[in-house]
Amino acid sequence: MAEKRILNRIKSVLADKDKTNLWLAEQLGKNKNTISKWCTNDQQPTLETLFDIAALLKVDVRELLVSTKK
């Protein structure tokens, strides 16, 4: 079975900002299950949505992504 790739840090940034998945779902008008899938990296938000999330959390969008630099 293929290993799941971790592409985003949404869950970590939400925790750093003391925000919940439910809060993010309400702010974006999305289903809480969708947010959960993003936080577990089962699905990924669109780039546009990623920018919306960054604005809500007051972070640079790059903080929501796993760096490709080693």
Side-chain angles (χ1 to χ4, degrees), residues 11-39:
K11 182 177 181 176
S12 298
V13 177
L14 281 171
D16 290 346
K17 298 289 184 171
D18 292 321
K19 302 292 184 188
T20 65
N21 292 11
L22 183 57
W23 174 85
L24 186 58
E26 290 170 351
Q27 296 301 306
L28 293 173
K30 301 278 186 189
N31 186 292
K32 64 182 180 179
N33 292 327
T34 299
I35 306 301
S36 178
K37 289 177 184 177
W38 294 345
C39 288

